[in-house]
Amino acid sequence: MFSVLDDAFEKKYAVPQFNMNGTIWLDTILKTAEECQAPVIVGTTDRIIEELGGFKLLVQTFNTKKEELKITVPAILHLDHGQSIESCFRAIDAGYDSVMFDGSNLSIEENIEKTKKVVDYAKEKEVTVEGEVGSVGGTEDGVYSDMLYADIDECLRLVNETGINSLAPALGSVHGKYRGEPNLGFNEMKDLRKTTSVPFVLHGASGISNEDLKKAISYGHAKINYNTELNIAWSNALRKVLNENPELYAPMEIIKPSKEAMAEVIKNIFKRTGAYQKKK
Ligand code: 13P
């Protein structure tokens, strides 16, 4: 994970994280990454880990899929929004490459204390850690939360006092669909960039324009997270095929157009983030 983000940070592109909501997603993400020769991060949100089969099964499935599909691009399994230290430890023990500890609802003191525990544990196993300051609002996995802008001093404290490998500063992006136009805090991004050289992570990237994306990458966002754009493509294609073919019940025929629709979105995102053809 480290070298993947470092390369992106240095060369001013970003590696997308695509969240998986089942093996259909995993299969499509890995195949498209290989086709595009792009490094990729597969995110599994802590909130739906049990539905996805649990940490151990996810690691086994991820590694087996990579082998079976003969994936040669860097492909990383990442715990998205780890809800507790214990969850992060379990993911690390199971063999995840990278974890995020989400201390966004904690005081900065508690966020630092818990993130540091995760970093210390992760380091021994060469697993990378992402931390968050402020709160990316919006709806994710059916749960709504308010948006809270990251405080720059708190961001610096989290970076310096924990040794995280990447920082997700909440600066105006939201999970799920935007109500109105996204309004990212570029001034804050610029100020924050001057104070630290840690790669940034942009959550809630679905719905952000190419222009804003480019700006965010220019300020050192080396990892950009997508879930909603894929899910919209998947659900629209699924609805269409079922509406147009009310007699159809063969699962593989039903899911084929939604996989193709997601692959198209993924390919487009690799191009927009600059990860396309960036295999090292
Ligand atoms: P979107 O809901 O905008 O796709 O964001 C996904 C995300 O940030 C996952 O952590």
Side-chain angles (χ1 to χ4, degrees), residues 142-162:
V143 179
Y144 177 82
S145 52
D146 287 330
M147 199 255 285
L148 178 71
Y149 254 66
D151 175 272
I152 294 200
D153 292 335
E154 291 187 357
C155 288
L156 276 187
R157 283 194 59 197
L158 191 78
V159 171
N160 295 336
E161 294 177 36
T162 65

Side-chain angles (χ1 to χ4, degrees), residues 17 19 80-81 140 174-176 203-206 225-228:
Q17 170 189 304
N19 283 40
D80 190 31
H81 294 285
E140 193 171 42
V174 299
H175 290 129
H203 282 251
S206 296
N225 291 4
Y226 291 91
N227 190 17
T228 304

Side-chain angles (χ1 to χ4, degrees), residues 30 57 60 91 101 126 180 215 264:
L30 289 178
L57 186 72
Q60 279 169 13
F101 175 71
E126 295 185 2
K215 259 195 199 171
E264 202 49 45

